[in-house]
Amino acid sequence: IKIDLYSCFYHNRINLRYRTLKILPAFFHFTTRTMDHRTTLRQIAKILKNFHLKFSDVTFIDATVPIVKFYHLKYNLEGDISVENRLAVANTKLLRAYADIDPRVTVLGSFVKSVTKMCDISDASAGGLSSYGYTLMVIHYLQQLEPPLLPVLQEFCLDTVEPSRIGNWDVRFYQDIKNLPKVWSRHGHNKMSVGELWLGFLYYYVEVFNFEEFVISIRQWSPLTKGFKRWPEIKKRFVAIEDPFDLSRNLAKHLSRNMSNYILSVFDYMLEACYSKCVSKHVLKTYESWRDDGGVFLLEGHPLYKPPKAKKPKKQKTAEEIAARKKRLLDRKLRREHERLQKLQNNNKKD
């Protein structure tokens, strides 16, 4: 078995850990010939569960690309294990290249991933959109700015890039980031702050981008229509996100219309809150409830929202009950003291 470790901690700066971001997705690639992928991953999950002092939350997810998710206790990171998923390696390199172009890409990408996780809309297994999907949304937005902050690396200088394929898919993109300022005349023209980019990101997807007609894509600058893609599920799904290499893959394929509307309502809520400057107390209180109690969503419109169970009010004790409890505690203390003295006397008699 050949194992290639592609940790986003090293290869994808968008996932670098800041003090407020505790998730470091890692990608493992196994090359096998005779093993069944799902059987192999189930065995790996079973092995990891035996090391309960090192790994927790070990889960096998039987998806189109089956994975084993885990949490490493010592290094405080989350990881994914997949088999024969070579496109994940190419995707990681592409994201790393975009992150190396401008440091604002890393900061904005990390912040979006952290916020969407806090709002409970980034768990694909629970009906949300994966963090990878949100990362592509960030890159697409930064490509569409005027002036753009990022180029389209898969369209850029293709005549100078050597052909490269994984299976049926072309995985070429411009990788000489150090020389990018020499060949891209608009490099460094965008001077927006990270705060302005964050508000622009929310505004772009709430007010500008037409989800009914277009697909979010980072492999071309010109608009990509849903009619051109002809995905079978395209009419039933509101949001469509194209994988940059596997062009047959819609990353929002399992995202329901209700969840899509909820995600946009969260973006709209945050946009309003940021502009009105009245977000601090309400969001902080909601976040503390989410952090302490769990299961509390930022907005009650979440498709999986269940109202938290009301806590039973504590029964106020009467003065008689308080006095009786104090008497019990005092009796217990006296009894223990008596037993201690009795034991001491018995030891003295034996001596």
Side-chain angles (χ1 to χ4, degrees):
I1 297 177
K2 179 185 175 184
I3 302 176
D4 294 327
L5 173 63
Y6 275 85
S7 169
C8 292
F9 184 82
Y10 298 105
H11 296 284
N12 175 2
R13 296 185 186 277
I14 291 179
N15 288 317
L16 282 175
R17 182 179 66 170
Y18 291 86
R19 292 182 65 185
T20 56
L21 189 63
K22 299 180 181 179
I23 299 176
L24 304 174
F27 298 93
F28 299 81
H29 162 60
F30 289 75
T31 302
T32 63
R33 291 185 178 180
T34 59
M35 291 185 180
D36 174 69
H37 297 169
R38 285 172 171 76
T39 302
T40 302
L41 289 173
R42 287 191 177 96
Q43 291 176 352
I44 293 173
K46 188 176 181 180
I47 292 171
L48 292 181
K49 287 179 181 179
N50 292 334
F51 293 91
H52 58 275
L53 296 179
K54 293 184 178 181
F55 300 97
S56 65
D57 301 332
V58 179
T59 308
F60 170 73
I61 300 178
D62 191 3
T64 306
V65 179
I67 61 172
V68 172
K69 300 189 73 173
F70 65 89
Y71 180 80
H72 196 287
L73 299 172
K74 181 179 179 180
Y75 296 107
N76 190 32
L77 62 86
E78 286 185 349
D80 297 344
I81 300 176
S82 61
V83 178
E84 285 288 352
N85 190 15
R86 290 184 294 161
L87 280 175
V89 176
N91 288 335
T92 302
K93 291 180 178 179
L94 177 63
L95 297 187
R96 169 64 187 265
Y98 277 117
D100 283 342
I101 293 173
D102 193 292
R104 290 172 290 178
V105 180
T106 301
V107 179
L108 181 62
S110 298
F111 185 70
V112 169
K113 292 168 69 131
S114 183
V115 168
T116 53
K117 181 175 177 61
M118 187 192 83
C119 298
D120 204 24
I121 54 177
S122 64
D123 186 358
S125 62
L129 183 63
S130 66
S131 59
Y132 177 50
Y134 287 111
T135 300
L136 296 188
M137 290 177 70
V138 170
I139 294 174
H140 170 80
Y141 157 68
L142 297 178
Q143 291 173 335
Q144 299 299 317
L145 289 171
E146 185 55 44
L149 193 145
L150 293 177
V152 180
L153 293 179
Q154 288 170 270
E155 284 187 334
F156 205 64
C157 297
L158 289 183
D159 54 334
T160 64
V161 179
E162 294 184 4
S164 178
R165 301 186 75 85
I166 295 178
N168 298 324
W169 306 115
D170 184 356
V171 295
R172 285 183 301 167
F173 64 92
Y174 185 81
Q175 301 187 46
D176 191 7
I177 304 302
K178 289 183 179 179
N179 291 321
L180 184 64
K182 298 178 182 179
V183 295
W184 187 40
S185 60
R186 311 193 78 181
H187 183 274
H189 286 194
N190 188 298
K191 304 296 183 182
M192 296 172 67
S193 68
V194 176
E196 291 172 325
L197 292 173
W198 163 240
L199 290 176
F201 171 82
L202 296 174
Y203 181 81
Y204 178 76
Y205 286 110
V206 171
E207 300 289 347
V208 178
F209 190 81
N210 187 344
F211 286 95
E212 294 286 359
E213 294 186 17
F214 298 107
V215 176
I216 296 171
S217 174
I218 69 169
R219 70 176 176 89
Q220 63 180 57
W221 183 83
S222 58
L224 180 62
T225 64
K226 289 184 175 180
F228 179 81
K229 292 304 296 183
R230 296 182 180 179
W231 283 326
E233 76 282 352
I234 202 74
K235 294 181 179 180
K236 300 179 181 178
R237 298 290 179 259
F238 182 55
V239 177
I241 304 176
E242 181 191 59
D243 186 276
F245 295 131
D246 184 353
L247 305 186
S248 66
R249 184 185 177 198
N250 177 11
L251 295 172
K253 179 178 179 180
H254 301 291
L255 196 67
S256 67
R257 184 170 284 268
N258 287 340
M259 179 60 82
S260 301
N261 291 333
Y262 178 74
I263 290 173
L264 293 181
S265 69
V266 170
F267 284 4
D268 188 32
Y269 171 82
M270 288 189 285
L271 182 64
E272 260 187 56
C274 289
Y275 276 121
S276 63
K277 297 182 180 180
C278 64
V279 66
S280 55
K281 288 185 178 180
H282 174 70
V283 170
L284 182 60
K285 184 178 179 181
T286 309
Y287 171 70
E288 288 173 349
S289 299
W290 170 84
R291 180 194 62 196
D292 297 336
D293 300 331
V296 179
F297 297 102
L298 185 64
L299 299 178
E300 294 187 4
H302 194 292
L304 302 179
Y305 174 76
K306 293 181 181 179
K309 295 181 179 179
K311 294 183 179 180
K312 294 182 180 179
K314 292 184 178 180
K315 184 181 178 182
Q316 296 293 331
K317 295 183 178 180
T318 63
E320 291 80 4
E321 290 174 335
I322 295 174
R325 185 174 183 276
K326 288 182 177 180
K327 184 176 182 303
R328 287 196 303 272
L329 293 175
L330 181 60
D331 290 344
R332 187 186 304 169
K333 185 176 180 180
L334 292 174
R335 185 169 61 255
R336 288 178 177 175
E337 183 66 19
H338 176 72
E339 290 174 353
R340 188 183 69 82
L341 293 174
Q342 189 69 30
K343 186 176 181 181
L344 188 62
Q345 288 178 1
N346 293 338
N347 291 336
N348 291 337
K349 286 180 180 179
K350 288 180 181 179
D351 295 340

